[in-house]
Structure formats: C-alpha cells, structure tokens
Amino acid sequence: MQPLIAPVLSSNKSTLRQLEKRMASVRHYQHWFELAQEHDSRSGAAQWRDQEKTHLYDYTAIKARHAKLKTLLNAGAHQELLYALNEGVHGNMGGMGRPILYSRAKAGTKLLIDSYVATIAQALECIHRSPDSVIPYPEKLDFFRRASHCYGRSALLLSGGAGLIYFHHGVVQELIDHDLLPNVISGASAGSIVSALLGTKTDAELKAGFFRRKHYEETKNTRLMDVFMGRVTDAEAKSARERTLDEIVPLDLTFQEAFEMTGRYINVSISPAEKHQSSRLMNAITSPNVYIRSAVSASSSVPGLMPSERLYAKGFNGKARPYLASRRWVDGSVSGDLPAKRLMRLYGVNHFIVSLINPMVVPFVEDVTTRQTKGYRHTLSAAFIKVLNESLSTSERFLDRRGEMGSRIAAQIAYLVRMLEQNYLGDINILLRKQDFKWRQTVFEFKDGEIENLIDIGMRSTWPKLAQIKNAALISKTLDRILEDLNREGLNEPGRSIHHIYS
C-alpha cells in the first residue's frame, strides 16, 4: 500500500515542530498559510498533494471527468458541456469531499481535487453565459434549479456556550473575511446572539471587522455570576438582560424583516420548558413575524437559573402580541444546539460547518471525521456518555415520582439528558479545545486581554479548515449566484418565470 506521506527525516522533525509553534502564534492568515506551505514542503505533504494517486478517493474517476470538462470548455462546446454536467454535479464524487483528505497536509488537499472543483465552477459559469440561441433561458433555468437542488449547500451551526461566545466571533469573522460565510446560519443560546448579529448587520459592517471589535458591555457592568447567585434583585437582573439585548438586536425587528435587509437566513433554536413538547427553529420561513429579540431571549434563558420566556411577534396591525401564548421556552442548547435535520428540510442543506463551544460537551468531543478509524479514546468517551445518559434517565424517572421537590430535580436532569442525546459534529468541525478556555469565562469573567485572545483562538482554529470550506462552498455559491441572476432576468423580462432559491 502506498504511504500517505513520505517519512520525515529525524533531522527535519525539530524544524517542523518550530514551524508548528510559529503557526500557533501568528496573528494573520497569510502568514499562517506561508508557514503551512513551508511545513508541507519539509514534511513531504506538498509532494503528497501533487500526486494524484491515493486509496483515499477515486482519483481515476475524478481525473477522467476533469479532463473531459476541460476539453469541452476549451472547445466552447456549450451543449456538450451541459450534457456532461447533467450527468451529475456532486460535492463528494469519488469520495473527494472526505475530511480525511484535508488532514494529510497543512495547506490543503490534493491539487487534482482543487482543480476539479474550480473547473466545475468555471463550467457552470460558461453555461450561464451561453447565448440563449445556444442554450435557451428555460433550459438554463431548469438545469440550475435541478443542479442547486441536487448539490445542496452549506450551513453554519453555532452552539451555545455563554461567555465562550468570543470564540464564535473569531470563527465567523474569518469566514466573512474570506467570503465563505454560508447564507444559512443557525445558533442556540450564545450562538443565537451571533446568528442575530449576522442577520441584522450589513456586509460592509461585517467586513469592517465587526466581530473583532464587538464586546458585550453589559456583562462587564452586571456580573452574570451575581445574577446566578441571587446577589441582584429580579428587577435589576431583568433590566440588565434587556440592556444586553439592546446591544444585539432592535426591539421590533422580525425574522422576515431581517432577511429582507441582509438576505441571510438566520435561525434561532429554542427548547420547550414543558417536558413533553418539542424544540423549535425560528426563522423567516417558519416564523416570519416573530421578533428576533424575543427568540434570542428565549434561546439564552438557562433553565433553573433564568425564567422561561414567552415569544412575541408582530401582529397584522404592527403591534406586538404573544406567539403561542400558552407556551414557554428556554435555552436552545438543551435540545436543539445543532439542528441539522431541520435545516436540511427547510433549506436543502447537506453540508454542515460546526463551531462548538458548549462547555458541557467540549471535554468529551473529538473530531473523528479526519481519521480513518474513530480510535480507542473516542470509543471510550462515547461509551461513557451513553452509560451516563442511561443513568440520568433512570434517575429522572425515579425522582419524577417523588413529590414536588423530586419533580423539580427531575426536570433539571431531563434538560441534561436532552443535551447528551444530541449529535455535536458536522462535516467540518471547528472545536474550542479544552486547554483554550477557563470555566470562569463561561460566565463572562475575563481578565485583561482574554477576550481578544479567545477571538484569536477562534480565528486560528478556522485557518486549517479554510481549504476544505472553500472547496465545499465554491460550487454551491456559484449555483446560488447564477440562480439569483436568472431570477432577476426573469423578473425583468415578461413571460419568464421566477423561482425562490430555497423552495
């Protein structure tokens, strides 16, 4: 069997370790990338990237299809090119999307994969620009609708994690800076705050480094630990909460209005306060008139420490009114931290980028997607969580039959059980490492420089994933952009139909 990477000479190992230390401390992506390329050159990974052959994907099929598309592009054979593309536009053809292919080198994956993805995007643009006399508008529109539906798109999932929210800041700012922020974004608890900000800020504001500068000032004025410990009155705690929300989103902005402002589909996950109800995902499709602020407030209400929340929406007369008036909602992380299945149904999402900061989960989660086997430690960790979950479920049932106090304790255990039952990994996982945060930071207890450091950690944790995110996003973004152009063209010319990009 061919080795994955040529063996590294022992004299070179110390140089590689020095490069890795420098990569872990630099402040800018371009500097990191240059060091990553040097590391690959010295380790033999650059040679691995250049060689097409490996058992990790079907390189012969990719190579043949790449050559065929290139030939048709160079010949300007638009109809033949369309026929070839109709044979399938897949993000994981021949296994080329496997995360393990991005773990062998620091700076990216096989050059054949990079070139093939770029060629697909070029071919799509060629079909779009083709004259109507060669490929009529209805045929183009039909093709791009089908291709978009089949190929799918990426979504960004932001977990809960209270004060560790600043890690999310670094992740999303890096995605914004590289034009890789997905159009579908979901957040729970702390993640819902970032989701709301993304859905209500303009592209210009975000690209100006918004998340590098953004701090939540009220958390410095009213300590969250004082609220949890009852050192402030309920009225003072409520006022502090409203001031925090003032920093995030306007009082009267609905999900539909935010979508019309930015074109981004933001989603806020909320969990039911009642035992036998289901979690919900609030957005411009399922709940267009609900106030974003109301959903964020509910999604960040920690059960047992904060009161459950009622949702509010804009009525037909423009005034606020209760939404599902009899229901109450709590922290979205409890049962919908990463609502992948709902996003799949709503938006045709089939690729998930996860930013995980949930402190109850981070110590037990490893990103096994970049390995060929899950490993002994992961198997033990998964087994431990399963046993713990079963034990908690048994305790919940026992306590639920032991009077009012037992029922209250059982309710809190039920929240923990729901949390442990969730899946916390996506296709691309940007995880806050255990060694990179302190528990006091979860309640916004930061020393000087620690907020900026956590943002930097989020940025640096994103850099090794950018090559994979770029390849995953290039084709879907190209398809979405072309469909938007075709839809505008249909609006401007009578007799041409329009189509909602996510319907």
Side-chain angles (χ1 to χ4, degrees):
M1 182 180 291
Q2 177 199 13
L4 295 177
I5 294 179
V8 179
L9 297 175
S10 57
S11 60
N12 208 24
K13 289 181 179 179
S14 61
T15 303
L16 293 179
R17 284 194 294 268
Q18 290 173 7
L19 283 169
E20 288 163 8
K21 288 180 180 178
R22 290 170 63 191
M23 289 169 66
S25 62
V26 295
R27 299 292 300 276
H28 300 288
Y29 171 73
Q30 188 57 41
H31 190 190
W32 178 91
F33 185 70
E34 291 167 0
L35 292 171
Q37 288 180 311
E38 184 179 350
H39 191 287
D40 288 347
S41 178
R42 291 179 177 273
S43 70
Q47 183 182 4
W48 177 87
R49 292 189 68 196
D50 193 49
Q51 293 172 346
E52 297 165 350
K53 187 176 180 179
T54 177
H55 68 279
L56 295 175
Y57 76 119
D58 189 349
Y59 65 92
T60 54
I62 302 296
K63 183 178 180 180
R65 185 159 171 77
H66 179 245
K68 180 178 181 179
L69 293 175
K70 276 288 188 184
T71 299
L72 294 173
L73 276 167
N74 292 335
H78 293 186
Q79 291 177 326
E80 285 294 329
L81 186 62
L82 177 60
Y83 185 88
L85 290 173
N86 264 313
E87 291 178 338
V89 178
H90 306 292
N92 195 29
M93 179 182 173
M96 71 175 191
R98 295 179 66 195
I100 194 171
L101 283 163
Y102 292 84
S103 66
R104 296 299 183 254
K106 301 291 186 183
T109 187
K110 294 285 188 181
L111 298 182
L112 173 62
I113 294 175
D114 291 341
S115 182
Y116 176 67
V117 170
T119 300
I120 288 283
Q122 186 182 355
L124 293 170
E125 293 286 4
C126 180
I127 298 301
H128 178 215
R129 293 192 303 269
S130 179
D132 282 3
S133 59
V134 178
I135 302 177
Y137 173 87
E139 191 175 347
K140 287 183 190 177
L141 185 61
D142 177 67
F143 165 71
F144 282 109
R145 284 178 179 176
R146 288 186 288 101
S148 179
H149 179 76
C150 293
Y151 189 83
R153 55 188 47 83
S154 297
L156 175 62
L157 278 63
L158 304 163
S159 81
L164 304 179
I165 189 173
Y166 290 108
F167 180 86
H168 283 335
H169 282 212
V171 172
V172 298
Q173 190 63 61
E174 204 60 30
L175 295 177
I176 291 163
D177 290 348
H178 288 85
D179 291 319
L180 292 173
L181 181 71
N183 211 36
V184 178
I185 304 146
S186 179
S189 195
S192 74
I193 293 172
V194 176
S195 181
L197 289 168
L198 287 168
T200 55
K201 302 298 177 185
T202 65
D203 290 344
E205 287 176 299
L206 296 176
K207 285 183 176 292
F210 175 83
F211 281 101
R212 287 192 193 91
R213 301 190 308 271
K214 174 65 179 175
H215 287 197
Y216 304 95
E217 298 301 331
E218 182 56 35
T219 62
K220 303 173 185 178
N221 301 327
T222 305
R223 296 176 64 233
L224 196 57
M225 185 58 72
D226 289 340
V227 175
F228 289 163
M229 299 300 292
R231 296 171 187 152
V232 298
T233 66
D234 290 345
E236 289 171 333
K238 185 175 181 179
S239 295
R241 186 173 178 79
E242 290 301 318
R243 289 192 295 272
T244 300
L245 290 168
D246 287 339
E247 298 181 48
I248 300 164
V249 65
L251 187 64
D252 58 352
L253 189 67
T254 69
F255 280 98
Q256 180 63 31
E257 290 164 347
F259 171 72
E260 291 169 359
M261 285 172 52
T262 67
R264 282 183 278 276
Y265 281 94
I266 61 169
N267 299 262
V268 172
S269 184
I270 56 176
S271 302
E274 301 89 350
K275 181 178 178 180
H276 298 293
Q277 299 295 335
S278 300
S279 61
R280 291 212 176 197
L281 194 63
M282 316 306 289
N283 51 61
I285 296 177
T286 63
S287 49
N289 298 321
V290 169
Y291 293 119
I292 298 174
R293 182 177 178 130
S294 173
V296 170
S297 183
S299 186
S300 53
S301 294
V302 182
L305 296 173
M306 298 177 179
S308 58
E309 294 270 343
R310 171 187 280 178
L311 293 176
Y312 286 90
K314 181 177 287 188
F316 64 90
N317 59 357
K319 295 182 179 180
R321 59 191 298 179
Y323 183 86
L324 298 173
S326 64
R327 302 283 301 279
R328 297 295 183 273
W329 306 93
V330 296
D331 195 316
S333 294
V334 169
S335 57
D337 213 8
L338 306 175
K341 289 183 179 179
R342 286 189 171 95
L343 295 172
M344 290 171 69
R345 289 196 296 268
L346 285 169
Y347 306 106
V349 168
N350 58 359
H351 185 266
F352 299 95
I353 304 167
V354 171
S355 178
L356 183 64
I357 61 171
N358 191 325
M360 302 297 293
V361 176
V362 164
F364 305 103
V365 172
E366 288 184 279
D367 185 7
V368 295
T369 61
T370 56
R371 303 177 191 168
Q372 288 185 286
T373 59
K374 291 185 176 180
Y376 183 65
R377 288 180 58 191
H378 173 79
T379 303
L380 281 179
S381 180
F384 170 75
I385 291 174
K386 186 174 181 179
V387 171
L388 176 61
N389 203 27
E390 289 293 334
S391 301
L392 289 170
S393 296
T394 301
S395 300
E396 180 208 341
R397 291 192 295 270
F398 174 80
L399 290 167
D400 199 30
R401 299 191 294 268
R402 293 299 184 274
E404 183 179 351
M405 181 58 70
S407 295
R408 289 182 181 178
I409 298 173
Q412 299 305 311
I413 293 176
Y415 289 135
L416 185 56
V417 169
R418 287 189 217 169
M419 192 175 292
L420 291 173
E421 286 175 342
Q422 299 179 59
N423 179 24
Y424 289 94
L425 292 178
D427 298 285
I428 299 176
N429 302 292
I430 306 171
L431 311 181
L432 177 61
R433 299 182 304 173
K434 309 173 193 65
Q435 62 266 38
D436 285 335
F437 78 93
K438 298 175 176 61
W439 278 94
R440 58 177 168 78
Q441 294 172 345
T442 63
V443 289
F444 290 91
E445 295 290 333
F446 291 98
K447 296 180 180 178
D448 289 345
E450 286 187 341
I451 290 176
E452 291 74 16
N453 183 56
L454 198 51
I455 295 172
D456 285 345
I457 290 170
M459 293 170 59
R460 284 197 294 269
S461 298
T462 307
W463 294 341
K465 308 291 185 178
L466 286 178
Q468 188 178 358
I469 295 171
K470 285 177 182 176
N471 278 348
L474 180 59
I475 295 174
S476 63
K477 280 184 171 289
T478 301
L479 286 167
D480 286 351
R481 186 177 64 254
I482 291 172
L483 266 177
E484 287 172 359
D485 288 346
L486 291 173
N487 287 338
R488 279 194 295 270
E489 190 179 341
L491 280 171
N492 293 333
E493 296 186 29
R496 290 189 168 183
S497 61
I498 62 170
H499 180 74
H500 194 285
I501 197 169
Y502 291 131
S503 63

